[in-house]
Amino acid sequence: MQLRWLEPADLPVLQRLFGDDEVVRFMALSRLETRAQAEVFLESIVEGFLEGSLYQWGLEAGGQLVGTCTLAGIDRDNRHAEIGFALERAHRGRGLMARATRTLLGFSFRFLALHRIEADVDPRNTASIRLLEKLGFAREGLLRERYREQDGYQDALIYGLLAREWQGIPATDSQPVGR
């Protein structure tokens, strides 16, 4: 498992990943239905990196891109950011995202010197909730009817992890590769 920079050659996988209803159903993100949409998506990742507000790496396993792991909304003054992740259905249940998020959290706390990482999770997304709790995130609250969906509004759970809480969790020595 490795987190690496996303490149134009990854566009077909990004389109497939974020074009999958099952992958994006709990995200505040529209499906990527065309290559052009995937190109705009990748351009926004590059722009966010250049601005220092977003780090979104590809999750590679077995030599192929299978997901992404993201640090978004980076606030350097207050030393916090939000974590996000997406994984192709065929690769779920193998511990890949747990390893990838540990790498991203280690990078966030050690190299970016962040104090707090947050996660905004759909309460129906039990797999993500289990992962966050396994990583030491604490449930901090419920934001009622935060997101508008086709059939109404959806709540959001807020999870948080502080740098001092991360200290006791074994982390990998690896860090994201590229740029």
Side-chain angles (χ1 to χ4, degrees):
M1 185 287 311
Q2 167 180 299
L3 291 179
R4 66 166 177 79
W5 181 253
L6 292 166
E7 300 180 354
D10 297 319
L11 286 170
V13 177
L14 289 173
Q15 183 182 343
R16 183 177 69 237
L17 176 66
F18 291 101
D20 183 338
D21 285 327
E22 180 69 22
V23 171
V24 299
R25 76 178 167 144
F26 297 126
M27 296 180 182
L29 174 73
S30 298
R31 285 181 57 234
L32 300 181
E33 297 179 10
T34 66
R35 181 178 173 92
Q37 289 173 325
E39 288 171 350
V40 170
F41 182 69
L42 182 58
E43 287 171 14
S44 71
I45 292 169
V46 173
E47 288 173 16
F49 175 80
L50 294 174
E51 293 169 358
S53 63
L54 171 80
Y55 293 105
Q56 185 162 1
W57 285 286
L59 169 53
E60 188 175 286
Q64 63 180 9
L65 182 66
V66 298
T68 65
C69 206
T70 308
L71 194 63
I74 299 168
D75 180 339
R76 293 181 192 277
D77 291 336
N78 293 298
R79 296 176 46 209
H80 67 81
E82 185 175 336
I83 193 170
F85 36 82
L87 187 63
E88 285 187 330
R89 285 189 264 173
H91 298 279
R92 292 179 181 171
R94 299 179 9 204
L96 291 171
M97 195 53 70
R99 290 176 27 221
T101 52
R102 278 188 187 98
T103 298
L104 186 60
L105 291 168
F107 173 81
S108 301
F109 291 129
R110 290 187 189 109
F111 296 102
L112 296 181
L114 295 181
H115 174 72
R116 173 183 172 81
I117 305 294
E118 300 171 355
D120 174 337
V121 187
D122 187 308
R124 300 168 295 180
N125 191 345
T126 57
S128 290
I129 291 168
R130 275 193 313 270
L131 173 60
L132 291 167
E133 290 174 350
K134 177 181 177 179
L135 293 169
F137 280 78
R139 179 177 166 173
E140 298 178 337
L142 172 72
L143 301 178
R144 298 176 306 141
E145 298 184 6
R146 182 160 195 212
Y147 295 107
R148 185 174 171 203
E149 294 185 343
Q150 289 179 336
D151 57 348
Y153 287 87
Q154 181 56 48
D155 296 342
L157 292 173
I158 302 301
Y159 279 79
L161 179 66
L162 303 177
R164 69 177 172 266
E165 296 165 337
W166 176 252
Q167 304 286 332
I169 296 174
T172 64
D173 289 332
S174 63
Q175 59 182 319
V177 176
R179 305 246 165 148

